[in-house]
């Protein structure tokens, strides 16, 4: 991504986090991106492309936040992943998963559904490899989804519950 494309994607991501997907007009999105209308449309030629660009940017940021510099393998890696997901939810997504919100706002958009599937799948597969739980990828996916979906209602209690469930995956 070029610096301009990254700047646009970051601004769009923050606009969608703050206002959701239905509310912001293109002018508000342009303002959030900090570029002219011409530049915005050069890089993201439609509102749908704006959403995808913002979510791709968020996907990369999330993966870096959760997986960069993890402890080596096993329970320590899994505990760090859960802590980092909780930190992300507290700081970046207190109202819930932006990917799910995007699909809820445009349920017929196949590209959004595919992006959601890829995002969640990559998280689960990377976590399974990091924790040495390759055979438990679906279990990890369900724990992470439970955590991110219940965070807005239960906060830290959701993290404690996710940890209890994750403890059941690791050999004693």
């Amino acid at each position: 991504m070029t610096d301009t494309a990254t700047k646009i994607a970051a601004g769009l991501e923050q606009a969608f986090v703050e206002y959701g997907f239905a509310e912001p007009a293109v002018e508000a999105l342009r303002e959030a991106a900090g570029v002219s209308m011409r530049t915005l449309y050069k890089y993201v030629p439609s509102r749908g492309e704006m959403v995808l660009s913002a979510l791709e940017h968020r996907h990369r940021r999330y993966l870096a936040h959760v997986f960069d510099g993890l402890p080596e393998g096993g329970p320590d890696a899994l505990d760090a992943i859960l802590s980092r997901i909780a930190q992300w939810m507290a700081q970046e997504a207190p109202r819930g998963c932006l990917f799910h919100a995007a699909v809820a706002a445009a349920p017929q958009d196949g590209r959004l559904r595919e992006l959601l599937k890829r995002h969640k799948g990559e998280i689960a597969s990377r976590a399974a490899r990091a924790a040495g739980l390759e055979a438990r990828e679906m279990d990890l996916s369900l724990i992470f989804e439970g955590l991110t979906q219940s965070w807005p209602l239960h906060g830290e209690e959701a993290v404690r519950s996710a940890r209890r469930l994750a403890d059941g995956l690791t050999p004693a």
Side-chain angles (χ1 to χ4, degrees):
M1 262 188 144
T2 67
D3 289 345
T4 302
T6 300
K7 175 185 173 183
I8 290 168
L12 292 171
E13 176 193 355
Q14 289 311 306
F16 291 128
V17 166
E18 188 172 340
Y19 302 112
F21 292 96
E23 183 179 322
V26 173
E27 176 56 30
L29 295 173
R30 182 217 53 81
E31 188 176 311
V35 296
S36 69
M37 194 64 80
R38 180 180 176 141
T39 300
L40 178 64
Y41 278 117
K42 174 183 175 187
Y43 284 89
V44 283
S46 69
R47 187 179 183 88
E49 292 297 323
M50 291 176 197
V51 172
L52 290 169
S53 175
L55 291 175
E56 287 287 354
H57 183 261
R58 190 167 184 88
H59 172 71
R60 287 188 298 277
R61 286 191 332 106
Y62 187 81
L63 292 177
H65 177 83
V66 172
F67 295 106
D68 286 359
L70 278 177
E72 290 296 318
D76 290 341
L78 185 52
D79 188 61
I81 290 167
L82 289 168
S83 293
R84 291 172 181 192
I85 291 172
Q87 181 183 40
W88 178 273
M89 296 306 295
Q91 295 174 352
E92 302 277 345
R95 292 185 296 262
C97 175
L98 196 63
F99 292 84
H100 280 292
V103 170
Q108 302 305 316
D109 189 325
R111 296 182 310 167
L112 285 177
R113 287 192 316 274
E114 281 302 312
L115 179 55
L116 170 66
K117 184 177 180 179
R118 179 171 55 87
H119 173 68
K120 300 299 183 173
E122 189 168 344
I123 293 163
S125 66
R126 287 182 69 169
R129 281 193 311 274
L133 295 168
E134 286 84 352
R136 306 303 294 268
E137 189 174 308
M138 180 56 73
D139 298 329
L140 288 170
S141 180
L142 289 171
I143 291 169
F144 300 153
E145 280 302 289
L147 172 55
T148 59
Q149 292 301 312
S150 63
W151 175 269
L153 297 174
H154 303 290
E156 287 298 322
E157 181 56 34
V159 179
R160 289 188 290 277
S161 182
R163 281 202 165 92
R164 285 190 299 272
L165 293 169
D167 285 346
L169 299 179
T170 57

